[in-house]
Amino acid sequence: MAVHGISRNAHEHFCAFAPLANATNWILLAPLFDAGSFPDYQRLGRPGKGERADLALIVALSNLRGRLDLPQRPVYLFGHSGGAQFVHRFAMTHPGHVARYAISAPGWYTFPDDTLDYPYGLARPPTSFGALRPADFLKIPGIVFVGSGDCRDGRTLRRDAVVDAHQGDHRQERAMRWTGAMNARARAMGLVEPLRLKQLEDAAHSFSGLVRRGRLHEHVWKFLTVSGEAVA
């Protein structure tokens, strides 16, 4: 499954991954979370901020399984930018639904920090979300991609005192801090480090640029579909 960013470019994601899915006989989904119904999809859809994007996705998966007579098993997720925010929070909230995940260049993250309120950390998530349990979501293998040139400010990069102080000034720094924090929390709990971080050279933030210059789609597909395969 490939989840779009705030430009809602679901078709672009589908076109990037479709040849790989066809070649390997995988089923590819590229959901569209329209701005009218899902204005807060990056944070799953908090109370008063539109429909719950995570629950809508679970319903869509259930319907697809029923229509195609597919087994009930975890899925493989990718998201870019705003979609990467959705994917890592979906994995935290619904770990039983996720086999592994890859994300590229989210603007900011939910940290495995019990002292910060959601969506900055794990404390006090909306009641309807249930508890966010590190012992569950830290067992899911994941990878974070970021372009070597993705170190600039921009209108789509979230800036506030909490995020800047805790996560850093740009997407590269935030990716490094979050990956380090997730792996450190896993080690402290006696778990295997779940995350890798890979920088894609000569690429910045746009999905099309990361695909064209960094072969993002190929790296993602290899990590998600070849169990244990290293990403060169």
Side-chain angles (χ1 to χ4, degrees):
M1 185 174 306
V3 184
H4 59 73
I6 61 171
S7 64
R8 265 78 180 181
N9 58 337
H11 184 258
E12 186 178 7
H13 280 246
F14 183 85
C15 290
F17 289 105
L20 297 169
N22 285 333
T24 53
N25 200 33
W26 280 66
I27 296 172
L28 171 66
L29 288 84
L32 174 61
F33 295 112
D34 67 272
S37 298
F38 302 100
D40 191 52
Y41 85 98
Q42 304 99 309
R43 289 159 290 277
L44 307 187
R46 293 164 294 170
K49 297 182 180 294
E51 297 180 35
R52 285 279 298 274
D54 57 333
L55 300 185
L57 184 60
I58 290 171
V59 169
L61 285 170
S62 178
N63 291 339
L64 179 68
R65 290 186 181 108
R67 193 164 70 246
L68 299 181
D69 194 25
L70 299 173
Q72 181 78 30
R73 63 185 183 187
V75 298
Y76 297 78
L77 295 174
F78 165 73
H80 173 70
S81 195
Q85 291 188 45
F86 170 86
V87 165
H88 86 270
R89 292 178 178 124
F90 184 91
M92 288 177 159
T93 309
H94 306 283
H97 287 273
V98 182
R100 54 174 50 201
Y101 64 98
I103 58 177
S104 62
W108 62 295
Y109 300 80
T110 294
F111 269 64
D113 188 331
D114 299 317
T115 68
L116 292 174
D117 288 350
Y118 183 87
Y120 300 100
L122 304 180
R124 296 199 294 185
T127 304
S128 59
F129 281 35
L132 306 180
R133 295 185 173 88
D136 295 329
F137 66 71
L138 288 173
K139 294 177 182 177
I140 308 171
I143 190 167
V144 181
F145 295 96
V146 64
S148 63
D150 202 354
C151 53
R152 300 183 181 91
D153 201 349
R155 63 180 182 83
T156 61
L157 182 65
R158 185 181 183 93
R159 304 303 301 263
D160 64 41
V162 176
V163 171
D164 291 352
H166 191 246
Q167 303 193 20
D169 292 329
H170 49 72
R171 289 184 177 88
Q172 278 194 30
E173 185 176 11
R174 293 176 183 186
M176 289 187 287
R177 289 194 186 185
W178 185 73
T179 304
M182 292 280 281
N183 286 338
R185 184 74 188 266
R187 289 195 305 272
M189 298 178 69
L191 302 173
V192 174
E193 293 185 2
L195 292 181
R196 309 181 202 176
L197 175 64
K198 181 173 177 62
Q199 181 173 279
L200 299 178
E201 298 300 327
D202 302 319
H205 182 66
S206 77
F207 176 73
S208 60
L210 287 165
V211 167
R212 186 171 59 255
R213 299 188 190 95
R215 298 185 297 115
L216 171 65
H217 58 314
E218 296 177 8
H219 289 300
V220 166
W221 202 261
K222 187 175 184 179
F223 177 79
L224 292 181
T225 64
V226 183
S227 180
E229 185 73 19
V231 176

